[in-house]
Amino acid sequence: MTLVTPIILDCDPGHDDAMAILLAAAHPSIELLGITTVSGNGALEKVSYNAQRVCALANIVVPIAKGAADPIAGKASAAPTIHGVSALDGAQLPEPTFELSELSAVELIAKLVTECDRKVTLIPTGPLTNIAMFLQAYPQLHDRIEHISFMGGSTERGNWTPYAEFNIWADPEAADIVLRSGLPLIMSGLNITHQALATPQVLARISALNTELAHTIVKLLNFFADTYRDVFAMPDPPVHDPVALAIIIDATVAKLVSAPVAVELTGTLTRGATVVDLYGNTGQQANVEVAMELDVEKFWDMMISAIETLGSR
Ligand code: BDR
Ligand code: CA
């Protein structure tokens, strides 16, 4: 019997979030219960619309609920230099085929978790605002959460500031709540997601699928490649977000190390930096399984077969 893991994807699409949506919808060992959106790569309205358009593109029908427009403290900012003005530039996408849920993200997460007959895994691939708000509003549902596998942070340096990665930088207070929750956490930071590169070989494999979906994905990833080249001088763009889900699909896709992880809230130069104690120097208890090394081939096989599956339906 195949074990199917029920998940909720909390995202801010975003090129790599879009890839995570496709993987979640297509993989046979995942049951995508719903999608929730959070302001991050773009304003809440934009990323919610993008989630709807990605679903329309790949014929995915799941509830989508809008979440937080701003972080717990301060105001939202976006990442147009990386994802473009729409937060998902580079290809023409179809208009939404269904309406957003009337529930808020937090309400939808609570409903789906309550109704599911198994524990649910949360996959946040944007700022952690919705997840922190859910954990605070529904302490009685904490024991219904199997894992929180998030993309964010780094064991090394950052991408949005010298020491902070974008998702954690965008809402450090939310990250702090999640990191202190005591729930089983898996962190896919830049140290691993920078191994998930959409190289020319990967793009050629996707193109060779020769479906409308595959061609659209290649256009999106080409846009992403251009901005990564311009902003970070990286020859190939890292497709960060699906890594957090790939680990739930197949734990052997990454090497995990238990470590204490905290987030810097007050540093004058380092706010939003994840402080990962890989050598146990702090004497703190490990609270996170930190993803370190990616099986790159396994990851792309998974991702490309998702695009193949969805493109032929
Ligand atoms: C993260 O920031 C966003 O731009 C991406 O979607 C990813 O979730 C990488 O730092
Ligand atoms: Ca994201």
Side-chain angles (χ1 to χ4, degrees), residues 46-120:
K46 285 188 187 178
V47 297
S48 306
Y49 177 55
N50 289 345
Q52 289 178 292
R53 294 193 302 155
V54 171
C55 285
L57 174 71
N59 292 313
I60 299 165
V61 182
V62 291
I64 304 178
K66 273 197 312 193
D70 285 309
I72 289 176
K75 284 275 162 210
S77 42
T81 50
I82 306 299
H83 297 274
V85 183
S86 74
L88 192 51
D89 279 10
Q92 184 104 37
L93 297 176
E95 287 304 308
T97 51
F98 58 90
E99 300 286 316
L100 292 170
S101 166
E102 284 171 3
L103 300 178
S104 70
V106 170
E107 288 167 345
L108 182 65
I109 295 172
K111 176 175 183 282
L112 295 173
V113 168
T114 305
E115 287 173 355
C116 190
D117 58 356
R118 284 149 296 152
K119 288 189 177 190
V120 174

Side-chain angles (χ1 to χ4, degrees), residues 74-285:
K75 284 275 162 210
S77 42
T81 50
I82 306 299
H83 297 274
V85 183
S86 74
L88 192 51
D89 279 10
Q92 184 104 37
L93 297 176
E95 287 304 308
T97 51
F98 58 90
E99 300 286 316
L100 292 170
S101 166
E102 284 171 3
L103 300 178
S104 70
V106 170
E107 288 167 345
L108 182 65
I109 295 172
K111 176 175 183 282
L112 295 173
V113 168
T114 305
E115 287 173 355
C116 190
D117 58 356
R118 284 149 296 152
K119 288 189 177 190
V120 174
T121 290
L122 305 179
I123 313 281
T125 62
L128 287 161
T129 323
N130 292 337
I131 304 300
M133 287 169 63
F134 163 73
L135 293 179
Q136 288 195 319
Y138 292 93
Q140 70 277 24
L141 293 181
H142 286 200
D143 65 359
R144 306 286 308 134
I145 303 301
E146 183 76 39
H147 284 107
I148 301 178
S149 179
F150 65 95
M151 189 282 134
S154 180
T155 60
E156 297 160 6
R157 297 191 50 159
N159 60 0
W160 212 247
T161 71
Y163 281 88
E165 178 280 329
F166 178 77
N167 289 340
I168 305 295
W169 170 87
D171 195 343
E173 278 70 24
D176 189 52
I177 291 167
V178 173
L179 288 169
R180 291 175 190 276
S181 66
L183 293 173
L185 305 177
I186 303 171
M187 167 175 144
S188 295
L190 299 176
N191 57 288
I192 187 163
T193 65
H194 279 189
Q195 298 165 46
L197 299 171
T199 60
Q201 293 75 15
V202 165
L203 295 179
R205 283 181 67 190
I206 301 175
S207 284
L209 296 174
N210 204 17
T211 61
E212 211 180 309
L213 175 65
H215 295 313
T216 304
I217 301 296
V218 170
K219 283 185 194 157
L220 290 172
L221 290 177
N222 275 330
F223 178 91
F224 201 42
D226 287 345
T227 60
Y228 256 85
R229 226 170 277 133
D230 292 348
V231 176
F232 296 113
M234 286 177 71
D236 305 311
V239 181
H240 309 273
D241 291 339
V243 173
L245 175 59
I247 292 172
I248 295 301
I249 292 172
D250 179 354
T252 68
V253 82
K255 186 175 159 226
L256 302 180
V257 170
S258 297
V261 180
V263 58
E264 181 60 83
L265 298 178
T266 53
T268 46
L269 301 174
T270 54
R271 183 169 149 80
T274 43
V275 180
V276 183
D277 180 13
L278 287 176
Y279 306 111
N281 298 332
T282 59
Q284 299 291 312
Q285 243 198 323

